[in-house]
């Protein structure tokens, strides 16, 4: 089993259309796949159709932006019904404000010596409601303001950096409920990326469990190998099931490609076992 249950297409901030992400996952050896675009399920039918044509298992997915204790947390929903109206409405509300935020990012970057970034970022966007910091990062690389998308985040766009505009996303309780209403399972994405204190992490995981949350990502392209071990321990301590996904966005952008992560530690219960 090569499960890759986290990645992106042009429906959010990925480089390839859903059908092409499906082909790349299959070519990378993935046998169970989920496309998990940010705050949008518009690619789900295409992803499933091509996955099934290729004989690859498919779970419909989404990655919802949440604000918890003044920081952004991402919650992946797996095995959702992408036609669930409660989920679709919730995602639309979550996307609201992205366009205004992007204009504010553009104005801030202008003061930092990066002109025309909003118009520039829009050129990378398929869905104008889904403009993200990744699109700004790609514009900044193309126009020589950053060496890589990572560099653009480190120097400008990352949380708390000079080009960062704070934003209020959805509530954890709402995001988990929409996923549950769509028949899916909520998974805390890449916990190693959040700058919470140990006390805050315990509160986040405790609240997630109270809401019915049962799983976290352990092996993800957004974790270092040290973090695989750290969050495997967290999964053991809280009794979480574990998920695995590349968080692939674009060729040459992330740390790993589709299907190329190490396996989960063998004592952890994979979240996908319930659907096999
Ligand atoms: P947004 O939803 O507009 O805040 O953009 C968040 C996206 O930016 C994430 O989904 C990642 O694709 C990307 N991102 C966030 N932080 C970083 C980082 N430090 N390095 C590279 N990409 C990042
Ligand atoms: Mn992204
Ligand atoms: Mn994420
Ligand atoms: Mn992601």
């Amino acid at each position: 089993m090569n499960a890759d249950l986290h990645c992106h297409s042009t429906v959010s901030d990925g480089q390839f259309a859903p059908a092409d992400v499906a082909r790349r996952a299959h070519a990378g050896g993935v046998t169970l796949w989920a496309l998990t675009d940010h705050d949008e399920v518009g690619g789900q039918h295409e992803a499933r159709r091509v996955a099934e044509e290729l004989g690859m298992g498919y779970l419909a997915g989404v990655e919802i932006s949440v604000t918890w204790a003044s920081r952004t947390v991402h919650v992946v929903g797996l095995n959702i019904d992408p036609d669930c109206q409660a989920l679709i409405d919730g995602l639309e509300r979550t996307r609201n404000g992205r366009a205004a935020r992007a204009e504010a990012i553009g104005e801030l970057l202008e003061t930092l010596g990066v002109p025309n970034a909003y118009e520039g970022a829009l050129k990378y966007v398929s869905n104008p409601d889904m403009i993200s910091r990744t699109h700004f990062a790609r514009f900044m690389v193309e126009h020589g303001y950053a060496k890589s998308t990572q560099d653009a985040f480190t120097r400008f766009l990352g949380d708390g950096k000079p080009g960062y505009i704070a934003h209020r996303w959805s509530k954890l309780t709402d995001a988990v409920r929409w996923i549950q209403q769509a028949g899916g399972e909520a998974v805390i994405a890449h916990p190693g990326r959040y700058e919470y204190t140990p006390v805050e992490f315990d509160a986040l995981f405790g609240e997630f469990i109270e809401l019915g949350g049962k799983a976290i990502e352990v092996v993800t392209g957004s974790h270092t190998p040290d973090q695989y071990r750290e969050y495997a321990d967290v999964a053991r301590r809280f009794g979480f099931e574990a998920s695995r996904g590349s968080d692939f966005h674009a060729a040459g952008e992330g740390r790993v490609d589709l299907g190329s992560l190490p396996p989960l530690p063998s004592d952890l219960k994979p979240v996908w076992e319930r659907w096999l």
Side-chain angles (χ1 to χ4, degrees):
M1 170 66 65
N2 185 341
D4 192 325
L5 305 183
H6 186 152
C7 63
H8 299 273
S9 76
T10 47
V11 167
S12 63
D13 59 351
Q15 175 188 22
F16 301 118
D20 293 321
V21 187
R23 291 184 194 104
R24 194 177 179 102
H26 184 253
V30 173
T31 56
L32 181 64
W33 177 53
L35 176 69
T36 56
D37 275 305
H38 297 286
D39 306 330
E40 173 62 90
V41 286
Q44 290 305 312
H45 290 291
E46 177 181 332
R48 175 178 294 282
R49 179 176 53 77
V50 179
E52 288 177 355
E53 281 168 16
L54 294 165
M56 184 166 61
Y58 189 70
L59 298 171
V62 67
E63 180 176 21
I64 306 181
S65 310
V66 160
T67 301
W68 191 87
S70 305
R71 294 185 192 277
T72 301
V73 169
H74 286 171
V75 178
V76 162
L78 293 177
N79 198 44
I80 52 165
D81 169 9
D83 299 321
C84 169
Q85 200 58 46
L87 175 66
I88 289 170
D89 292 347
L91 295 178
E92 187 179 346
R93 287 202 295 282
T94 306
R95 290 194 301 273
N96 271 346
R98 269 191 186 268
R101 168 202 191 224
E103 287 185 46
I105 293 174
E107 285 167 22
L108 185 53
L109 288 175
E110 186 110 33
T111 70
L112 299 170
V114 183
N116 306 318
Y118 175 62
E119 296 73 17
L122 270 182
K123 297 209 176 81
Y124 293 85
V125 173
S126 323
N127 171 1
D129 290 346
M130 257 320 298
I131 186 164
S132 101
R133 285 183 287 166
T134 310
H135 301 114
F136 281 91
R138 292 194 186 125
F139 161 81
M140 292 178 77
V141 173
E142 194 197 20
H143 290 267
Y145 297 106
K147 293 194 295 282
S148 62
T149 52
Q150 185 58 55
D151 181 45
F153 276 92
T154 303
R155 291 193 300 119
F156 292 96
L157 299 167
D159 297 24
K161 296 294 157 72
Y164 179 68
I165 295 280
H167 191 72
R168 185 160 292 279
W169 302 107
S170 290
K171 292 187 181 138
L172 180 67
T173 158
D174 291 331
V176 171
R177 195 183 65 251
W178 300 330
I179 291 166
Q180 291 166 344
Q181 285 173 314
E185 203 57 56
V187 181
I188 297 207
H190 44 61
R193 287 228 321 234
Y194 313 134
E195 291 179 357
Y196 290 125
T197 64
V199 169
E200 285 172 324
F201 265 116
D202 279 8
L204 170 66
F205 294 139
E207 189 175 326
F208 182 62
I209 288 169
E210 268 178 32
L211 295 169
K214 295 186 187 70
I216 63 169
E217 287 184 343
V218 170
V219 175
T220 144
S222 291
H223 280 171
T224 63
D226 277 347
Q227 289 173 325
Y228 302 164
R229 287 181 279 278
E230 184 179 349
Y231 288 94
D233 279 341
V234 169
R236 292 178 189 112
R237 190 150 61 84
F238 286 86
F240 284 131
E241 296 172 19
S243 192
R244 172 181 187 264
S246 56
D247 208 356
F248 176 81
H249 284 72
E253 251 179 42
R255 219 169 43 73
V256 293
D257 213 312
L258 285 149
S260 67
L261 291 160
L264 290 176
S266 58
D267 64 307
L268 297 184
K269 186 170 160 55
V271 65
W272 58 84
E273 271 185 1
R274 60 178 69 231
W275 301 303
L276 296 182

